[in-house]
Amino acid sequence: MIDLAHPDPVDIAFGALLGALIGSFLNVCILRWGAEPKESIVSPRSHCPRCGKGLAWYENVPVLSWLLLRARCRGCGEPISIMYPLIELVTAGLWAYMVWRYGLTLEALRGAVFGTILLGIAMTDARNYIIPDEFTWGGLALGLLFSLANGWPGLITALIGAAVGFGLLWIFGYIGTLVFKEDAMGGGDIKMMAMVGAFLGWQGVLLTIFLGALAGSLVFVPLMLVGQKKLVPFGIFLSIGAAISYELGPAIIGWYSGYLVAA
């Protein structure tokens, strides 16, 4: 039996190692799915984006290879972005945290997968103003698959959450387009919320949208006040809102429900 009060350090280390490997693969997904035109994540094998030199296996070891290569390509000597080891470290920390919190359980896997998808969405939207379908539709399928652990009630809850997430963002986008006479919501954001709904349910969707809009406003409004109409990728803020909703959603919803009853 797993003792969640005293998690096994070996299990946590395993989670961190697995997360680092997945983070390395996530880097490939971010770069290739966010490219224009979109590239395959299978072929060609990993290579330097500047000189095209293929990477040997020992140049693909998460974090360590970047350090040993002193952040430079062996072929052309150009700098290797710090984004690569940072993504690997963040993903490793995410998977280790989920194992620390839930042990080697299905919920730890579910939380780690959800967090990894959110990280991929945030990074591709930040870099290329795009949310790849592979993250959204693929994540939706995974969310529905995980929901089967709770039987038909779990699947129905996930389907309702996905429908609410997709429908709400579509309505917001439609109204915004009518008001501002331009696209107010990207299709990727709409599909992303369907994925979030599959993982978090309809209540998690509402909280995610609220928190995402709040976080986005804290960035976008100051930019408007200083006269900069910079396009702010909303997927980043929805990812932040979804992560908070996963971690603190039940507590926030419980507190708010109690507040309404008391009022």
Side-chain angles (χ1 to χ4, degrees):
M1 182 177 293
I2 297 172
D3 183 2
L4 297 182
H6 301 89
D8 188 345
V10 175
D11 291 345
I12 296 174
F14 170 74
L17 177 60
L18 181 59
L21 294 172
I22 290 173
S24 181
F25 177 67
L26 182 61
N27 274 320
V28 176
C29 296
I30 291 169
L31 290 172
R32 299 193 182 188
W33 286 344
E36 186 60 45
K38 186 178 299 185
E39 300 176 9
S40 168
I41 60 171
V42 177
S43 178
R45 66 188 180 93
S46 296
H47 58 277
C48 173
R50 293 184 177 87
C51 69
K53 177 186 178 298
L55 303 183
W57 69 266
Y58 51 83
E59 295 176 291
N60 267 322
V61 179
V63 182
L64 186 60
S65 290
W66 187 83
L67 293 173
L68 293 177
L69 291 170
R70 298 181 179 180
R72 292 191 176 275
C73 172
R74 283 201 314 138
C76 62
E78 289 294 313
I80 302 173
S81 172
I82 196 174
M83 182 195 84
Y84 299 104
L86 285 180
I87 293 294
E88 292 161 356
L89 284 172
V90 170
T91 312
L94 169 66
W95 284 69
Y97 169 74
M98 289 298 170
V99 173
W100 171 80
R101 182 171 181 183
Y102 297 108
L104 293 177
T105 63
L106 183 62
E107 183 55 36
L109 179 62
R110 177 177 173 273
V113 167
F114 184 49
T116 302
I117 294 171
L118 292 177
L119 179 59
I121 287 174
M123 290 303 301
T124 51
D125 206 18
R127 286 171 53 88
N128 304 102
Y129 293 94
I130 186 174
I131 301 178
D133 287 345
E134 289 82 358
F135 284 133
T136 55
W137 291 138
L140 171 63
L142 289 173
L144 295 176
L145 184 62
F146 278 117
S147 74
L148 291 174
N150 295 317
W152 284 108
L155 178 59
I156 292 172
T157 297
L159 287 171
I160 292 174
V164 170
F166 187 93
L168 274 181
L169 262 288
W170 184 86
I171 291 172
F172 290 159
Y174 180 74
I175 294 175
T177 300
L178 292 179
V179 172
F180 299 107
K181 307 301 181 183
E182 61 180 339
D183 289 339
M185 190 69 63
D189 298 320
I190 297 172
K191 290 177 279 189
M192 173 188 176
M193 287 310 302
M195 181 275 296
V196 170
F199 276 94
L200 301 182
W202 69 268
Q203 291 178 312
V205 163
L206 297 181
L207 185 57
T208 295
I209 294 173
F210 171 76
L211 293 173
L214 178 61
S217 297
L218 293 175
V219 174
F220 185 66
V221 171
L223 289 176
M224 288 188 63
L225 292 177
V226 297
Q228 295 189 24
K229 296 183 179 180
K230 183 176 181 180
L231 179 62
V232 178
F234 194 36
I236 298 175
F237 304 108
L238 287 176
S239 295
I240 293 172
I244 296 174
S245 297
Y246 173 83
E247 186 65 17
L248 301 175
I252 295 174
I253 293 171
W255 168 82
Y256 186 66
S257 299
Y259 174 78
L260 291 178
V261 172

